[in-house]
Each structure stands twice: as structure tokens, then as C-alpha cells.
Amino acid sequence: MSKFGRLKKSARIAPGTAICCDCGMDTMPCPSKPRTLEQFIVKDEVWSAAGMTPGKIDARNHELVGGGFLCVGCIEVRLGRRLTICDFKEITVPLLFEPWCTERLRSRAFTGPKRRKTQPDWPSRPSGSPSLP
């Protein structure tokens, strides 16, 4: 039996909860308080790279079903790196700025691929122009 299976059996997790498959953190506690939610949707390739199966949208109520849940810490352990803003689906990005998100999740909105500083595109000096001392 998996770690999650043992946790689910021992904790009697109610259906409809969003428990992290690895550590058991409730990513969507009810009642929720500010800075307690870790609900996010990453791009399919990121979710697959973390070893998770994709969920499906239930046509009746438009909820995501299956696929499981991971907290920020556990998905990062599985990926072997920190999440960046580029990992999230567009629908999630505005939610990262809500007061309900944990600081850990919100901080990922401000990290991204490192941008290389480039030199300014100065016009080249025409040939024959005097050089500066």
C-alpha cells in the first residue's frame, strides 16, 4: 500500500479534499484562512515530469477530477528544482496574487528563468571617426 493509501486509510480523508499525495498536506483547507491555500495548475508537461497522471474535467460540474494533488514542496522535490512562473498554466497566474495563497506558492510567481543582461545596442562608430582619449 502506498504512503498516501496508508494516510488516507488512517486519517479517513473525506472525499472532495485536496490532500497532497506525498506529504498529506491539505492544499485547500476548509474553512480556509488567508495564506493557507496551495491550489495551482501547472502545465501538462510539468505535471507529467513530476510523475503525476493528468486529471480530467467533469462535464457535469466542470471540476477537475483525478490526477491527484501535490503541494509546492512535494512537486519541487519530484522535479528536482523550484517552480517558476513559466511552469503554471495561465489560469493559475492571477490566483497567485490572491491573499489566500501561501507565501511559498506566491513566491514562485516572482521567480522565472534568469534573464541574461545584454549590452545596450549602441550604434557603431563610423570608420575614420576620432577615438576618445
Side-chain angles (χ1 to χ4, degrees), residues 5 9-10 13 18 23 37 44-45 56-58 62 67 74-75 84 108-109 113 124-125 130:
K9 188 175 182 182
S10 65
I13 296 169
C23 72
L37 296 178
D44 294 339
E45 58 271 14
K56 296 179 181 162
I57 302 292
D58 186 341
H62 304 287
C74 290
I75 193 171
T84 67
R108 285 11 178 220
S124 59
R125 234 184 285 173

Side-chain angles (χ1 to χ4, degrees), residues 112-121:
K114 300 227 180 215
R115 291 191 180 146
R116 193 172 58 107
K117 282 189 174 181
T118 58
Q119 295 295 328
D121 192 18

Side-chain angles (χ1 to χ4, degrees), residues 125-133:
R125 234 184 285 173
S127 60
S129 65
S131 61
L132 296 174

Side-chain angles (χ1 to χ4, degrees), residues 4-17 19 26:
F4 179 66
R6 286 191 300 274
L7 177 70
K8 190 171 183 178
K9 188 175 182 182
S10 65
R12 299 177 194 256
I13 296 169
T17 59
I19 303 297
D26 190 353

Side-chain angles (χ1 to χ4, degrees), residues 80-123:
R81 64 176 179 82
R82 283 179 63 119
L83 291 172
T84 67
I85 192 71
C86 299
D87 292 323
F88 297 101
K89 285 193 173 186
E90 279 186 40
I91 193 169
T92 300
V93 174
L95 301 176
L96 298 177
F97 298 97
E98 293 291 327
W100 302 102
C101 290
T102 63
E103 289 300 320
R104 178 169 70 167
L105 177 57
R106 187 177 294 129
S107 71
R108 285 11 178 220
F110 301 106
T111 59
K114 300 227 180 215
R115 291 191 180 146
R116 193 172 58 107
K117 282 189 174 181
T118 58
Q119 295 295 328
D121 192 18
W122 299 105

